[in-house]
Amino acid sequence: MQRRVLVVYAHPDHDRSRANLRLRAAIEGLPGVTLHDLYAAYPDFFIDARREQAMLLEYDVLVFQHPMHWYGAPAIVKEWQDTVLEAGWAWGEGGDRLHGKQFMQAISAGGPQESYRRGGKAHFTVVELLRPFEQMAHYCGMVCLPPFVTYAASLASNDELDAHAQDYRALVAQIAAGESPAAFDTFSSPE
Ligand SMILES: Cc1cc2nc3c(=O)[nH]c(=O)nc-3n(C[C@H](O)[C@H](O)[C@H](O)COP(=O)(O)O)c2cc1C
């Protein structure tokens, strides 16, 4: 079964990106995949909730793609969540519009993988840090997929990032083809 995938992209400094630039370029043009650049669409941060909601209804899979900023997402993603995921629409009574859709996060971290552990510089794993997003998905009745993580995004060579971008392309193409990885739940999935 083909699935329509909406990639909500948020990078406040896209022109200077090395990782997300490549990841984004790798999925652009894939059949069934639409890229929606939040900072380009809303440079003034005034998000049009009705437009975003109408767009979401057209898709089966929602992907948040962004760099890790302060162990979370760039600010516009939070604004998007607060504005678009309204009571009675995304959650609460009658709020079933996202039920059954899939959610995935594609995140780049400046830090290397070994720093994302107990005793490491980041102290927590990326999966632990992304729990508010995982819970957002559960609360809105979405099926959470494992995150796609690019570690050491600032240190990696262009060749390494290019190879990783191809892995991302393969994964997103697989999801669009209806062959998503198994649903993810912190409490039942390995890190
Ligand atoms: C404001 C800000 C906050 C950041 N916070 C983190 C962080 O919490 N953890 C981390 O690993 N990297 C952090 N970084 C580094 C970025 O995640 C990294 O530069 C980015 O993922 C590289 O991707 P890009 O080439 O697409 O910009 C931060 C960068 C900025 C500008």
Side-chain angles (χ1 to χ4, degrees):
M1 184 189 79
Q2 285 293 123
R3 289 208 176 92
R4 292 154 302 172
V5 181
L6 178 64
V7 180
V8 170
Y9 178 81
H11 196 308
D13 200 6
H14 174 73
D15 292 343
R16 293 208 296 172
S17 161
R18 289 175 59 243
N20 285 282
L21 183 98
R22 287 175 165 77
L23 293 167
R24 169 180 160 160
I27 57 160
E28 269 179 313
L30 276 177
V33 178
T34 300
L35 194 119
H36 179 39
D37 183 336
L38 284 188
Y39 279 100
Y42 302 109
D44 56 7
F45 263 63
F46 284 105
I47 291 176
D48 182 343
R50 299 286 94 72
R51 176 189 172 208
E52 296 296 309
Q53 290 173 350
M55 200 184 290
L56 284 169
L57 294 179
E58 301 294 316
Y59 292 88
D60 309 300
V61 184
L62 169 64
V63 177
F64 280 177
Q65 184 191 329
H66 58 82
M68 172 96 88
H69 276 187
W70 282 110
Y71 304 107
I76 204 165
V77 175
K78 182 65 164 60
E79 182 64 14
W80 186 97
Q81 291 177 292
D82 293 352
T83 312
V84 179
L85 303 178
E86 290 179 322
W89 192 87
W91 60 275
E93 201 173 327
D96 60 359
R97 302 305 209 290
L98 299 176
H99 282 197
K101 294 184 191 290
Q102 298 182 349
F103 172 76
M104 188 182 84
Q105 220 159 349
I107 189 159
S108 66
Q113 186 161 10
E114 57 267 26
S115 70
Y116 281 91
R117 59 171 172 79
R118 297 287 170 280
K121 220 171 170 182
H123 192 64
F124 296 101
T125 67
V126 166
V127 162
E128 286 169 335
L129 293 165
L130 296 182
R131 274 186 184 170
F133 295 96
E134 182 187 342
Q135 171 55 11
M136 171 203 76
H138 292 315
Y139 202 64
C140 295
M142 293 190 278
V143 176
C144 206
L145 304 180
F148 181 87
V149 187
T150 306
Y151 289 103
S154 318
L155 307 167
S157 69
N158 288 347
D159 285 350
E160 285 166 337
L161 291 174
D162 284 338
H164 199 61
Q166 286 312 309
D167 292 343
Y168 183 49
R169 178 184 168 84
L171 174 64
V172 174
Q174 193 188 325
I175 291 170
E179 294 154 20
S180 296
F184 175 79
D185 183 323
T186 293
F187 296 108
S188 59
S189 307
E191 293 279 297

